[in-house]
Each structure stands twice: as structure tokens, then as C-alpha cells.
Amino acid sequence: MQPINKDSTCSTILAPLRVSDSKLLKWDDLCDVLVIGWGASGACAALEARANGADVLIADRFTGGGASAKSGGVVYAGGGTRQQQAAGISDSPQAMFDYLKHETCGVVSDSTLRRFCEQSVANLEWLQSHGAPFGHQMPPGGKTSYPADGYFLYYSGNELVPSHTGTLAPAARGHRTVGKGQCGAVLYSHLQSACLKAGVRPLLQSAARRLVQDGEGRVIGAELWRLLPGSEAAKAHTRLMARAERWQNLAPGYCDKLRQRATRLEREHAQAYRVRARQGVVLSTGGFIFNRELMREHAPAYRRNFKVGATGCDGSGLRLGQSAGAASAGLERVSAWRFINPPHCWPEGIVVNRDGKRFCNEEVYGATLGQPLMEEQGGRAWLVLDARLRTKAIRQALFGGYWWFQALPALALMLFKPRKGKTPAQLAKAAGMQVDALNQALARNNSAARGECEDEFGKSTGCREVLDQGPFYACDISVGNPIFPLGALTLGGLKVDEDTGAALDSNGQPIAGLYAAGRTALGIPSHLYISGLSLADCVFSGRRAGCAAASVRVSEAGLPRDTAQAIPTRTGI
């Protein structure tokens, strides 16, 4: 290992090291495929590359898992999965494609989206072959933001919303990994174990800080900054980052200090560790929700949001790719989750902006509501309930069997400092709304609930409710309300070849030896998020990149003979 320039900082991505001949550089390790980032997409890339005969090394700045391990463990899958069939749900790849085409709005080509849908059953089976369990039990009551323990198949998007359904019957496609609590850790533990069992070699606490390219621009490896395994510095680094993960949103200032201490450990104790990757490097480090500079540059309106992800979601993979000439897209796209279900009756209320005007269908998925709230309403909105609906919602929050992270914020929102008025006019004045605007919003809602007209935003009849029993309440669902956090994660990333996952330059040409997967890359969820779509894309894009990298033919001298990336037909990718 080589000493590190102490003037550098560990948050900095350095310009690629260019060498005319790889033999002139001292390498500390050699592999066929180097995967940078050991979350779900990195694990899937490593497993697929290994299955195609590659010697795989996987590096992670921490100890693996990333945002995937902190997620709910939901995989969006359909087209007739074993679990759908057991639940009596009829689904097809065409029905899945029709629905997702509406949600993804052309962020990937139709052929790629269709391939994603056609491979969905096989990809879920592939996860199960690596030990990840899935069930078919469905929760009562239709929609929910996350099902209670004991339920593992649910409508995780807008499938039941009339304005989002096509000509084919809606299907539940949210496949939650079987386990207790948030099951992302369960799913990831199986993927991690599968990697080790398959012979993937891990390099933990090894942060990739720059790529290495040959004279023609081909990526032939990377320089990592590695803490010595088992050292006191490595142990302290683990403790600091574990604490930062626990408190990252509740005490951001404190966590900044923890990260600074961890960075100082890296700077003072890490050693440069150069890895030669004969066939390719896969970037899979997640998004950039924790990179304040990137957020300020690309999505400044979302800096106040509750950050969904892990500390490693700092844009390192994105910046590594850009340093080698890779283009990016969709960096302004952020998924903001304003869930108002559960309580299940909340969508019977109306959501209005600061003027008192209604602007959405309240029954839609949280990100579908969060997008106009953030982008059109400046992050400010109210949920308006009458006395009868508020009482019903409080009962559901107390006795509905919801998760604590669903019930407690809902109760706090309704019980602590909601705006209140005996009449709609009084409520409007208490909340700073326009009296006429709120009166009109309630009148139109009530007329639709009585069946006198259609709802102006397409709300289904089952979610319509007459709101006429005073007093009236306005609950603050704005982004700045600390008792009702509005979560967010980034969706954009590096542009990739949709057949191979190869990173593309500004001219749309593949950068030899460089691939990207998961939230580091532009993918299926990069327009608008629905639950489970990111993990499903981690499997799809991770396997794609791993397979393509392992398919590059290598000469006897250990150097690529060509850039052909024929994909073995046996994988079905």
C-alpha cells in the first residue's frame, strides 16, 4: 500500500490517474471485475460477474449495506410471481409495463422497461435462490405506506388509483422480504452472505478516491484509501459511522462532527490501495442525498427534507464517473415522500396549499403527492379534516395496528398545534388561507362526495367524504414541520447504455471498462419513485452491469483484446 497525500481530504474525488502502460504502475491487488459500493446493486453485480466466471473484488467505504440495508426490503415485482399466484392475483408483464410506463414517463426506453417487466419473475426467483424469502400474505384495507408484520405483498404504488390504472386490472407488486420490522437488513444479509459464499472478495473500509485509466481512456482500476483491517483506527471508524447512521436526521450537526472525526481517521491512517481490474469497474455507491454541495447545486429546494439513505449516499460513485468523463442526467429529480396513508381515512380529507386551494388527489402514493407539494407549492400544504374525520383518524392511529413511525407522527400532527376553526372561514383565518379559496375547495369536495359531480382531481368514490362537521382542523404537512418529516432521496445519476450498464460520455459513447448500477445510474425509478422500484432496479441494473463487465474478453497478457460486451444468453439479462 502507498502513503496518502495528507493534504487531500477523504471527501474529495481525485482526477483519474492516467498511465500509458498498466505494467508501469505498482498494483496492490488484481481482479477481473472491481465493484465499488457493497449495497444491493453492488452485491447483485458481484454475484452476476462471479457467476460468469470473473474474479470479483468488492470495495466499500464502510462495512457494506448502505441504503439498501436501511430500507423496507420491498422489491417491486410482477408479471405473475409465485407470491402473486398464491394470493390469487392475476398479473402479466404487459400489465406491469402499462402501469410503469405511466409512472416512469420515458426515463428509460420502452424496450428497457419491457425487459425489466419480462424479467421481473426471474429476478425475484434469483433473489430467492440466494436465500431471500418472500411471502404472499396481503394486509387488509388496500393501500398502506408499509405493511405491518405478517404481511408481505401489497399495493406499493398508485395501482388502485383510478387515474393511474390502465385497461388491465391492477395488481399488488410490492414484495416485502419476509422478516420483522424494516426488512432491508434481512434482504441485504442474504445478498452479502451469497457474495461471500460465491467467492467474492470484500475490501471493507476502503474508500474509492480515484479511477485509473490507460492512455486510451479505458478504466483499468481504482485507487482506494484503505484502513488496515482490525486496527484501532478501523474500529473507531466503525463506531463513529454507526453512531452517525443512527442520528443522521435527528441531530445533523452532531453527525457532521462524527463524520469529520471519521474523515480525519481516514486521512491520518488510511493507505492508498491500488486495484487492477482487468475487465471492468462497476460504480454502485448509491445516490447523493447526503452531499450538501450537490444538493445545493442540483436540487436546492430539497435540502430541508428528511434524508432517506445512508451516509455513503454522498455522490461518490457519481463523481468518480464524472471524473472519467461520464455524463449524468436527472440530478434535479428527487423523490419526496408525503404519505397520508395510514391512517387509512386520511385521504378522505383534502390537501390544500397555503392559499386554501386543493391541488392533488389525496389517495395517491406519497411521492406522487410529494412532488407537486415541493415543486409547485414551495413545500407548504395543509391536510384539512372536519371533527368527525379527525376523531376517526385518531382512533385508527391508536388502534389500527400501524407501525410506530406511522402512528406517532400522525397523532402528533393531529393533536399538537393544528390550526382550528368552528367554521371553514375561521379555519382559513387561523391558518392564513384565503377564505373564499378554502370554502370553494370544501364545497367542491362535498359535492363530489354526495355524488353530485365528479371529483376534480379524480379521487375514487371510496375515498370521498363530506366534510361539514365543525370544528375544522388544518394539519401542517409542510416540509418544515419537524414532527411530520418529509423524506427524500435522489433519483438521477450517470447515463448508461441500457443494454450493458456501461457509463456513457457526453457524446453517448460507452467509456471502456466503466459501468454503473443502482442509484448511481439513471434507471427505472429516476423519474418518480414508487415503493420497491429502487431495489428491483438494483437487481436489474446490478446483474446487467456485472454480466457485461464479466463478458469482456481478456487476452493472455491480461489486457482486454476488444471492447465487445456480448451478454451470455443463459443469464436472461
Side-chain angles (χ1 to χ4, degrees), residues 33 35 41 44-54 56 126 279 282 499-502 515 517 539-553 564-573:
V33 176
V35 179
S41 60
C44 292
L47 284 168
E48 195 61 39
R50 193 79 185 96
N52 280 273
V56 181
W126 183 83
Q279 291 173 257
V282 180
D499 292 327
T500 65
Y515 305 82
V539 180
F540 176 76
S541 64
R543 294 187 71 191
R544 176 180 65 187
C547 180
S551 302
V552 176
R553 294 195 292 270
Q565 295 167 340
I567 299 175
T569 56
R570 71 168 186 82
T571 66
I573 296 178

Side-chain angles (χ1 to χ4, degrees), residues 325-370:
S328 60
L331 301 186
E332 77 286 353
R333 301 295 300 176
V334 175
S335 178
W337 295 336
R338 174 48 80 221
F339 285 109
I340 57 169
N341 182 347
H344 292 315
C345 67
W346 260 5
E348 297 171 13
I350 61 170
V351 169
V352 299
N353 62 16
R354 54 188 167 186
D355 294 327
K357 297 178 181 178
R358 192 166 164 231
F359 62 90
C360 68
N361 179 347
E362 292 79 7
E363 65 182 322
V364 295
Y365 176 72
T368 312
L369 171 57

Side-chain angles (χ1 to χ4, degrees), residues 217-238:
R218 180 183 191 87
V219 175
I220 60 173
E223 182 178 282
L224 313 172
W225 289 8
R226 188 186 187 202
L227 291 171
L228 185 65
S231 66
E232 290 303 315
K235 294 175 183 177
H237 187 271
T238 298

Side-chain angles (χ1 to χ4, degrees), residues 345-352 358 362 383-390 424 438-439 441-443 445-447 449-450 459 463-473:
C345 67
W346 260 5
E348 297 171 13
I350 61 170
V351 169
V352 299
R358 192 166 164 231
E362 292 79 7
L383 172 64
V384 176
L385 313 170
D386 70 352
R388 179 173 50 198
L389 184 55
R390 177 175 177 267
L438 182 60
N439 277 329
L442 284 168
N445 171 80
N446 294 344
S447 181
R450 295 187 185 102
K459 184 187 286 190
C463 281
R464 300 177 193 176
E465 181 67 34
V466 175
L467 305 175
D468 61 358
Q469 299 295 311
F472 295 85
Y473 298 84

Side-chain angles (χ1 to χ4, degrees), residues 364-377:
V364 295
Y365 176 72
T368 312
L369 171 57
Q371 182 183 28
L373 191 159
M374 292 297 300
E375 296 183 2
E376 301 170 10
Q377 307 302 330

